[in-house]
Amino acid sequence: MDASWVEEASIGSLRFCIAGVNALHRMGSVVLDLVPKEGGGGGGMEVETRKLQSSKYKGVVPQPNGRWGAQIYERHQRVWLGTFETEAEAARAYDVAAQRFRGREAATNFGTLAETEEEEEAARSFLGAHSKAEIVDMLRKHTYLDELEQCKRGRGAALLGKRKTPAGICRQSSSPREMLFEKIVTPSDVGKLNRLVIPKQHAEKHFPLRIDGGSGGKGVLLHLEDADGKMWRFRYSYWHSSQSYVLTKGWSRFVKEKQLRAGDVVSFWRSGPENQLYVMCQRSVSIGVVGSDT
């Protein structure tokens, strides 16, 4: 046998072992160690495996360096949430991700995200205001708690009177926002007409539109950001036939994605310097509330 081939094969095996170690380290299940062979005069090496201690927490895996990793599965794909000094920190990272990925009813390690009901609500609002990718990025960079605290400190500046802002109002990069108005969605608003009627007093105050010719025929395009940071484009116009102000093009898609039903509440907000518009949704707390188009 060609000696050079044997040497290359040995190097290839070593490379395979090292790659296996890196992959398994990431999974946190076993560790492969290269150790000298017993009684081997030739100075050969052999592979020993040792199983890492499993975690008592859901979504937590041990790491060979003594730290703890957190992970969650989304559509059968593993999402790595980062590595943490303690097992409990990794477990809390999993809980945060579980609440954002699977909602309020998600199974978690500690049951709640915070000690008090007020802090719990603030944490849920913060999660709802950011995309899954944003939350995962914060967890990996260990900035989640800092950004949550910044959001909570700025929460008071975003209050209108004594009303608390809905989820999405507390994004770190945004200026404090003022609520313009809200409306209880009617059955026709979520029906086949593909339009949301804007009450006249709010339309004329907050969304002025020329109806004596000008832009009143085809209307104008409004760009509004939702709680997840997604931008929506609606056509806003005045219907002479019904003498009503309406959002049309793009509205049916918004209704479908947000799963809006009669009785739910949509609210409209505006930020300060940049004058950006926002649209938020809240589920109805009462059954059978349908609201009015006027």
Side-chain angles (χ1 to χ4, degrees):
M1 182 180 295
D2 188 348
S4 62
W5 184 90
V6 174
E7 181 180 358
E8 179 63 29
S10 299
I11 295 175
S13 299
L14 179 59
R15 287 173 179 166
F16 175 79
C17 289
I18 293 174
V21 170
N22 290 335
L24 291 171
H25 277 191
R26 183 77 168 189
M27 293 302 295
S29 54
V30 298
V31 176
L32 305 183
D33 292 325
L34 296 177
V35 298
K37 285 184 178 180
E38 293 184 2
M45 304 290 287
E46 63 181 5
V47 176
E48 284 188 356
T49 64
R50 53 187 174 88
K51 188 176 179 66
L52 292 174
Q53 178 184 2
S54 61
S55 173
K56 62 181 179 181
Y57 293 114
K58 184 176 179 64
V60 177
V61 290
Q63 302 296 286
N65 59 4
R67 303 177 75 193
W68 298 87
Q71 61 186 19
I72 191 170
Y73 281 84
E74 170 81 345
R75 297 179 182 177
H76 307 293
Q77 296 292 322
R78 188 171 68 107
V79 179
W80 185 251
L81 304 175
T83 307
F84 303 86
E85 291 294 337
T86 69
E87 191 176 6
E89 287 176 334
R92 292 194 179 280
Y94 171 83
D95 287 359
V96 169
Q99 292 281 331
R100 181 61 186 86
F101 278 63
R102 295 165 188 164
R104 186 180 291 265
E105 303 303 321
T108 57
N109 293 296
F110 297 102
T112 60
L113 296 175
E115 294 182 358
T116 67
E117 184 175 342
E118 183 177 356
E119 290 180 340
E120 178 80 7
E121 187 59 32
R124 291 186 186 280
S125 294
F126 181 78
L127 290 178
H130 294 81
S131 67
K132 295 176 182 178
E134 287 175 324
I135 295 299
V136 169
D137 187 61
M138 292 179 202
L139 293 173
R140 288 177 178 174
K141 294 179 179 178
H142 295 198
T143 63
Y144 169 78
L145 292 178
D146 290 338
E147 295 195 37
L148 175 59
E149 281 303 313
Q150 288 183 5
C151 178
K152 285 159 64 176
R153 286 196 298 268
R155 193 177 177 85
L159 295 178
L160 180 65
K162 293 185 178 180
R163 293 182 60 88
K164 289 185 178 179
T165 58
I169 217 64
C170 205
R171 297 179 65 86
Q172 182 188 6
S173 60
S174 302
S175 304
R177 305 174 192 177
E178 172 194 8
M179 190 181 79
L180 303 178
F181 65 94
E182 63 182 13
K183 183 193 177 183
I184 299 176
V185 176
T186 69
S188 62
D189 285 330
V190 293
K192 297 181 179 180
L193 297 178
N194 183 25
R195 64 99 175 97
L196 171 73
V197 174
I198 304 295
K200 182 179 180 180
Q201 68 272 27
H202 298 308
E204 293 181 347
K205 180 178 180 180
H206 303 296
F207 303 148
L209 181 68
R210 291 180 58 192
I211 61 177
D212 53 344
S215 62
K218 296 183 179 179
V220 297
L221 292 178
L222 296 182
H223 296 79
L224 298 97
E225 183 178 336
D226 67 11
D228 296 320
K230 181 177 180 178
M231 193 65 68
W232 293 87
R233 186 173 65 177
F234 304 112
R235 184 169 295 280
Y236 172 58
S237 57
Y238 179 79
W239 283 359
H240 288 273
S241 59
S242 58
Q243 296 186 350
S244 56
Y245 296 87
V246 293
L247 294 183
T248 54
K249 183 179 180 181
W251 175 250
S252 61
R253 188 164 59 90
F254 183 82
V255 169
K256 183 177 180 180
E257 181 167 319
K258 303 300 182 181
Q259 299 182 340
L260 286 179
R261 299 170 297 180
D264 291 344
V265 177
V266 290
S267 58
F268 296 86
W269 302 72
R270 178 182 284 122
S271 62
E274 61 267 32
N275 204 32
Q276 173 64 49
L277 294 173
Y278 302 86
V279 57
M280 307 295 167
C281 305
Q282 292 177 314
R283 293 297 179 194
S284 172
V285 295
S286 302
I287 297 177
V289 177
V290 296
S292 170
D293 284 340
T294 58

